[in-house]
């Protein structure tokens, strides 16, 4: 008779984690969309503390500065007492270690997200035992990305309902400056 060996991964308690962890929702948020907000709000309903971390990527051209993105996120998540906004550069696992974060929460929109996200999740676990929790995107927003919003808005398309009203106004202002 073959015995099934127990899983080799250690439990959260063995790793010394709190039972209800602080999680991070990382991303560019250039700008925050209703798809992002949906994931943040749902994560806030499940976890004790949610840190939304804006990636500082100096090589990628962005429409909004990191300060502007952080400020917009602060405004639109103001109603969630357990959500805070931060920023990071370099490795996400280092940000997690520095902030006592044991898991990443990511939204999965479509199969196209899956391959990259799985690779990142496995690498983050391998590097630092940081877990990744996937939430399926709200079907109302599963086609939505910041880049698509910017492209549509740039050509005068209507993006109301896809981003918070505050962001709608900021998008109009920023694109009018260009
Ligand atoms: P994008 O520019 O594609 O919107 P971000 O880097 O700002 O990407 O997004 C950060 C994370 O937010 C993504 O990895 C994904 O997990 C999640 N996300 C982005 N858009 C959506 C959406 N419409 N629905 C659910 N999750 C989303």
């Amino acid at each position: 008779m073959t015995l099934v060996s127990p899983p080799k991964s250690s439990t959260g308690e063995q790793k010394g984690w709190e039972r209800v962890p602080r999680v991070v929702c990382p991303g560019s948020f250039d700008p925050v969309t209703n798809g992002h907000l949906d994931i943040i709000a749902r994560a806030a309903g499940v976890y004790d503390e949610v840190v939304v971390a804006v990636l500082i990527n100096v090589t990628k051209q962005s429409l909004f500065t990191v300060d502007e993105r952080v400020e917009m996120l602060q405004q639109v998540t103001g109603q969630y007492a357990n959500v805070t906004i931060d920023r990071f550069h370099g490795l996400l696992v280092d940000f997690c270690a520095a902030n006592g974060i044991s898991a990443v929460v990511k939204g999965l929109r479509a199969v196209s997200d899956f391959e990259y996200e799985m690779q990142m999740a496995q690498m983050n676990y391998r590097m630092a035992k940081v877990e990744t929790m996937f939430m399926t995107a709200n079907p109302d927003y599963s086609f939505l990305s910041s880049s698509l919003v910017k492209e549509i808005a740039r050509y005068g398309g209507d993006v109301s309902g896809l981003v918070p009203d505050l962001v709608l106004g900021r998008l109009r202002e920023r694109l009018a400056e260009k």
Side-chain angles (χ1 to χ4, degrees), residues 112-130:
S112 49
D113 276 347
F114 183 76
E115 209 173 333
Y116 175 74
E117 293 295 352
M118 192 170 81
Q119 195 181 13
M120 286 305 299
Q122 289 172 334
M123 185 57 97
N124 286 337
Y125 188 80
R126 188 194 163 96
M127 284 192 291
K129 300 278 181 290
V130 169

Side-chain angles (χ1 to χ4, degrees), residues 26-30 33 35-36 39 106-109 113 117 137-138 141-142 144-147:
S28 305
F29 304 103
D30 184 39
T33 68
H36 293 129
I39 296 292
K106 293 235 111 176
L108 275 186
R109 284 166 285 197
D113 276 347
E117 293 295 352
N138 181 327
Y141 305 125
S142 59
L144 190 54
S145 69
S146 297
S147 40

